[in-house]
């Protein structure tokens, strides 16, 4: 309200709402927050349809909501505006490997890792390794999927299952339980 022509102010207010919801700082349900969120992002993009940060945040939200087509659209716009931002390389790369162009997505993910191995707000490179694990899984290069997955220190169940599936594609399924990834995380996911 202090600067009604500042597109990023609207985008960051929307981001703050989303983070508050995800991190449990508000009791408001998603159905209650989403209309305000959408209005804020709509305002941001109407004020400045060429703002990299607005498209980056819209990409992230669309990805979180499962709208990969819109995430890719905003990801490409943000990437075109700022092709060397590791946050955007990561987001766009994640979208590309899942729905559009695996090889191009992997290039983006590798460049994000090279430019910023430990993403802002993180303590490890696990998110970058996880993205590459998924990327190589989507490419059906199971050997590289396993290799990148083995670098992840703090594993989510979905990553663990992706890696174990890749192990089963490279070896007999009966040997999955013998793999070090299975043994290392088995107790976490029972």
């Amino acid at each position: 309200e202090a600067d009604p022509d500042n597109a990023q102010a609207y985008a960051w207010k929307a981001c703050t709402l989303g983070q508050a919801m995800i991190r449990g700082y508000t009791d408001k349900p998603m159905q209650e927050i989403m209309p305000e969120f959408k209005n804020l992002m709509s305002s941001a993009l109407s004020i400045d349809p060429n703002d990299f940060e607005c498209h980056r945040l819209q990409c992230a939200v669309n990805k979180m909501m499962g709208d990969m087509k819109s995430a890719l659209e905003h990801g490409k716009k943000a990437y075109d505006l700022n092709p060397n931002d590791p946050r955007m390389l990561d987001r766009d790369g994640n979208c590309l490997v899942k729905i559009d162009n695996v090889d191009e997505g992997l290039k983006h993910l590798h460049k994000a890792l090279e430019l910023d191995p430990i993403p802002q707000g993180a303590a490890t490179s696990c998110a970058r390794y996880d993205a590459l694990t998924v990327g190589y899984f989507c490419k059906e290069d199971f050997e590289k999927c396993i290799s990148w997955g083995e670098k992840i220190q703090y594993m989510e169940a979905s990553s663990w299952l992706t890696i174990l599936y890749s192990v089963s594609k490279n070896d007999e399924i009966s040997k999955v339980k013998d793999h070090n990834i299975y043994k290392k995380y088995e107790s976490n996911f029972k």
Side-chain angles (χ1 to χ4, degrees), residues 90-104:
D90 181 72
R91 292 238 168 76
D92 197 38
N94 270 292
C95 293
L96 285 167
V97 298
K98 292 176 183 170
I99 67 167
D100 191 43
N101 183 333
V102 175
D103 291 326
E104 187 67 19

Side-chain angles (χ1 to χ4, degrees), residues 154-184:
Y154 305 104
M155 182 112 25
E156 298 290 329
S158 59
S159 301
W160 186 62
L161 293 171
T162 298
I163 297 164
L164 293 178
Y165 179 84
S166 297
V167 169
S168 78
K169 296 301 275 185
N170 274 0
D171 215 334
E172 294 178 34
I173 197 157
S174 63
K175 294 186 179 181
V176 168
K177 289 186 176 183
D178 296 331
H179 196 276
N180 62 335
I181 290 285
Y182 181 86
K183 292 175 182 176
K184 185 175 179 180

Side-chain angles (χ1 to χ4, degrees), residues 43-58:
S43 294
L45 289 167
S46 68
I47 291 168
D48 189 352
N50 296 310
D51 187 289
F52 153 79
E53 202 59 21
C54 294
H55 285 289
R56 183 184 74 79
L57 291 169
Q58 187 66 57

Side-chain angles (χ1 to χ4, degrees), residues 141-152:
D141 185 337
F142 300 117
E143 199 65 42
K144 285 187 179 175
C145 172
I146 296 164
S147 175
W148 283 104
E150 289 175 331
K151 296 174 187 276
I152 301 170

Side-chain angles (χ1 to χ4, degrees), residues 1-37:
E1 294 172 3
D3 190 357
D5 295 326
N6 184 340
Q8 285 190 13
Y10 288 95
W12 280 108
K13 184 173 181 181
C15 181
T16 302
L17 282 174
Q19 289 294 323
M21 183 185 68
I22 290 169
R23 296 175 190 256
Y25 298 136
T26 182
D27 295 332
K28 291 182 182 177
M30 185 181 292
Q31 307 87 287
E32 194 175 317
I33 291 174
M34 285 314 289
E36 182 179 1
F37 181 88

